[in-house]
Amino acid sequence: MTDLTKLTLADALDGMAKGDFSSVELTDAHIKACEGAGKLNAFITDTHDLAREQAKASDARRVSIKKSGGTVGKLEGAPLGVKDLFCTEGVKTCAASKILGDFQPPYESSVTANMKADGMVMLGKLNLDEFAMGSSNETSSYGPVINPWRKNEDLVPGGSSGGSASAVAADLCLGATATDTGGSIRQPASFTGTVGIKPTYGRCSRWGVVAFASSLDQAGPIAKTVKDSAILLQSMAGYDAKDSTSLDLEVPDWVSACGASIKGMKIGIPKEYTIEGMPKEIEDLWQQGIKWLEEAGAEIVHVSLPHTKYALPAYYVVAPAEASSNLARYDGMRYGLRVEGENLAGTYERTRTEGFGAEVRRRIMIGTYVLSAGYYDAYYLRAQKVRTKIADDFKAAWEQCDALLTPTCPSAPFAVGRKVNDPITMYLNDIFTVTANLAGLPGISVPVSLDKDGLPLGLQIIGRALDEETVFKAASALEDAAGFTAKPEKWWA
Ligand code: GLN
């Protein structure tokens, strides 16, 4: 039999439907791949026994559904990975932080509940930056995730969804859940030659997803192809009364949008996304992307998003502010780690000092500072006003175009340890991705090329709020034109 881990999710679902192989066979092949990939450190918790049980149940369900003439679930029997930020009932969920200890949620996040109802087989919980704060997966208290792509030394897979990206790129799972607060789906996708989409804010429920910055956090998939990402998002998205910011709207048929013509589509090129010091290769790739979309029938228009340069500073005020509030609940009283002190305040202090890593403590301090009396107006309120300006820039751009094409990141994946002691350089990774979070817009990263060192590079499509359909159309046109099929050499097994 061919190597089942090399299949796309779409092909694996087809293969099971045709009876070419079972979910048990597919799952076993992926478990074997996971067992041989310890060096990548992509998973925090393996749930292989559970996966085998779920696969067996899925095969049985398929037989009985077939008999009754019904349709199987959208993800029936597909072995997938779940970022360890999604609460999973009875399975350790720790957000890669020591402070959550061995917390086993008594409930399931709405997104993973949707996927389970659609037949997902869960291989395990994927590593990430602690509380999803980071751009390289080096802030995890479970150690860094390693990118399957290499250049004489270990490279980062991006962050915070580095485990998801690394596992998909290395064919350890057919797809994975991820979250994106400032770029954590799209940047790791770009760094690993995978596809990652952050939908419109409110499309996927945040209920049961460990909170980082609630007004920016949004779930989405990392997948091998644009179509696979549509299949996954179709299952993950949907209204949920348990999340007050969830959008009460039908989930459109995004899978059909993949491969549809982009003739006449207007693609905007924002001039402010040309930044000083960006490698020429990325600039050239962007130009190539413009040509590809033009050849596919799109019309290119040049647009301006004048407040772009304020996006990163605004993000690094708003995100830490919300994080400092969200993380106040980890006090050693209810769950997770508790380190006794001399008195109550001492217990709080010791628990939080020992439980949180350096980057998380930095964010809590920045957040507390910008929200404190006297500084609130100068920083937090100001950042919120900038956020409105950024959203207005996009609204003006939509008068001229249907979607935007930009690079996903200002660089290719870098070496482990290279930027870890320089937070500002690290924060610059998010320069092209944070704008979509601040404005709540959908954005996708598509792998299109290898750089001179043989490392993957991605381009990003940003769309109007709720218009994932156009995003998927443009992304699959890019994917078709680029024909990116490169895979990393398998050095880890
Ligand atoms: N890298 C950004 C940060 O560190 C974004 C993280 C994310 O999207 N979760 O905040």
Side-chain angles (χ1 to χ4, degrees):
M1 197 182 288
T2 51
D3 184 351
L4 296 180
T5 65
K6 298 275 179 273
L7 296 174
T8 62
L9 171 63
D11 288 343
L13 293 171
D14 277 355
M16 284 187 285
K18 284 197 220 130
D20 293 348
F21 44 83
S22 65
S23 171
V24 167
E25 288 169 308
L26 189 64
T27 302
D28 279 341
H30 283 89
I31 290 176
K32 211 166 142 223
C34 291
E35 283 169 350
K39 284 184 192 150
L40 300 179
N41 198 26
F43 286 89
I44 291 178
T45 305
D46 296 326
T47 54
H48 297 170
D49 290 341
L50 175 73
R52 285 192 189 96
E53 268 170 44
Q54 288 175 334
K56 225 168 128 189
S58 164
D59 285 334
R61 201 160 49 229
R62 186 181 291 278
V63 171
S64 67
I65 291 175
K66 240 183 175 170
K67 259 192 208 144
S68 67
T71 27
V72 299
K74 297 186 199 74
L75 303 174
E76 192 60 70
L80 303 170
V82 172
K83 184 178 183 178
D84 202 21
L85 203 63
F86 293 81
C87 287
T88 41
E89 191 178 348
V91 175
K92 176 175 157 176
T93 302
C94 68
S97 181
K98 277 199 277 198
I99 208 151
L100 271 153
D102 288 325
F103 176 57
Q104 290 193 7
Y107 50 84
E108 186 78 26
S109 82
S110 297
V111 163
T112 48
N114 289 344
M115 296 169 80
K116 272 188 175 174
D118 282 334
M120 158 170 79
V121 169
M122 184 174 83
L123 290 165
K125 302 296 292 289
L126 291 155
N127 204 345
L128 65 150
D129 278 303
E130 185 177 3
F131 284 106
M133 296 174 193
S135 304
S136 64
N137 222 303
E138 291 166 287
T139 74
S140 166
S141 65
Y142 289 79
V145 174
I146 307 301
N147 195 330
W149 293 87
R150 252 180 99 81
K151 190 190 72 180
N152 311 320
E153 53 188 340
D154 284 346
L155 303 178
V156 303
S160 64
S161 310
S164 308
S166 188
V168 173
D171 295 324
L172 309 185
C173 53
L174 291 171
T177 70
T179 61
D180 192 311
T181 303
S184 281
I185 292 177
R186 293 159 287 156
Q187 185 251 15
S190 177
F191 275 22
T192 56
T194 55
V195 174
I197 177 162
K198 176 197 94 71
T200 307
Y201 182 79
R203 277 282 193 205
C204 288
S205 169
R206 288 182 297 107
W207 196 82
V209 182
V210 176
F212 165 10
S214 309
S215 75
L216 302 161
D217 295 346
Q218 189 52 204
I222 290 185
K224 295 186 187 181
T225 65
V226 173
K227 185 176 175 191
D228 283 3
S229 74
I231 295 172
L232 286 162
L233 188 60
Q234 200 98 46
S235 172
M236 295 167 75
Y239 174 62
D240 179 15
K242 289 190 278 200
D243 171 1
S244 62
T245 57
S246 170
L247 297 169
D248 191 358
L249 294 167
E250 283 296 302
V251 177
D253 181 1
W254 292 318
V255 179
S256 304
C258 299
S261 162
I262 60 160
K263 242 193 179 71
M265 186 185 285
K266 288 196 176 135
I267 299 287
I269 309 300
K271 70 166 191 263
E272 291 79 5
Y273 281 54
T274 302
I275 57 159
E276 231 185 82
M278 185 160 82
K280 182 164 180 307
E281 256 179 303
I282 294 187
E283 180 67 44
D284 291 348
L285 185 65
W286 193 11
Q287 292 308 319
Q288 178 65 61
I290 295 174
K291 255 196 224 131
W292 280 330
L293 291 182
E294 229 171 5
E295 281 161 14
E299 189 188 320
I300 303 298
V301 292
H302 292 274
V303 300
S304 172
L305 301 169
H307 296 91
T308 300
K309 64 171 180 285
Y310 305 114
L312 209 53
Y315 171 83
Y316 277 98
V317 170
V318 174
E322 294 184 17
S324 71
S325 161
N326 275 328
L327 270 56
R329 73 190 71 170
Y330 304 105
D331 56 5
M333 296 299 131
R334 283 156 289 198
Y335 45 78
L337 181 79
R338 176 189 182 102
V339 186
E340 294 295 339
E342 278 173 16
N343 50 28
L344 180 64
T347 301
Y348 286 154
E349 249 169 55
R350 293 195 57 187
T351 302
R352 288 170 67 82
T353 306
E354 291 184 29
F356 290 132
E359 183 60 29
V360 175
R361 290 202 302 270
R362 178 181 296 127
R363 307 273 179 124
I364 292 174
M365 285 192 288
I366 297 172
T368 309
Y369 179 81
V370 300
L371 288 178
S372 57
Y375 295 107
Y376 185 94
D377 288 359
Y379 293 104
Y380 184 68
L381 206 64
R382 201 118 190 244
Q384 291 291 28
K385 286 183 182 164
V386 170
R387 191 173 177 178
T388 306
K389 293 268 181 222
I390 287 166
D392 288 346
D393 281 357
F394 280 107
K395 276 186 204 140
W398 304 138
E399 308 263 312
Q400 289 171 268
C401 63
D402 304 308
L404 298 164
L405 175 72
T406 79
T408 309
C409 307
S411 80
F414 45 87
V416 172
R418 175 90 32 99
K419 298 188 181 177
V420 79
N421 294 319
D422 182 357
I424 302 286
T425 313
M426 191 66 95
Y427 294 172
L428 279 172
N429 269 288
D430 308 320
I431 194 151
F432 301 137
T433 48
V434 291
T435 51
N437 299 80
L438 289 167
L441 306 176
I444 192 169
S445 178
V446 182
V448 287
S449 173
L450 297 179
D451 73 356
K452 58 180 182 327
D453 295 318
L455 301 175
L457 298 172
L459 287 176
Q460 174 179 231
I461 303 279
I462 300 175
R464 290 188 175 96
L466 299 176
D467 191 13
E468 284 82 3
E469 206 172 324
T470 297
V471 171
F472 277 121
K473 277 186 197 165
S476 45
L478 257 189
E479 183 181 50
D480 285 349
F484 182 90
T485 51
K487 290 294 274 182
E489 233 171 86
K490 202 168 169 186
W491 55 268
W492 58 89

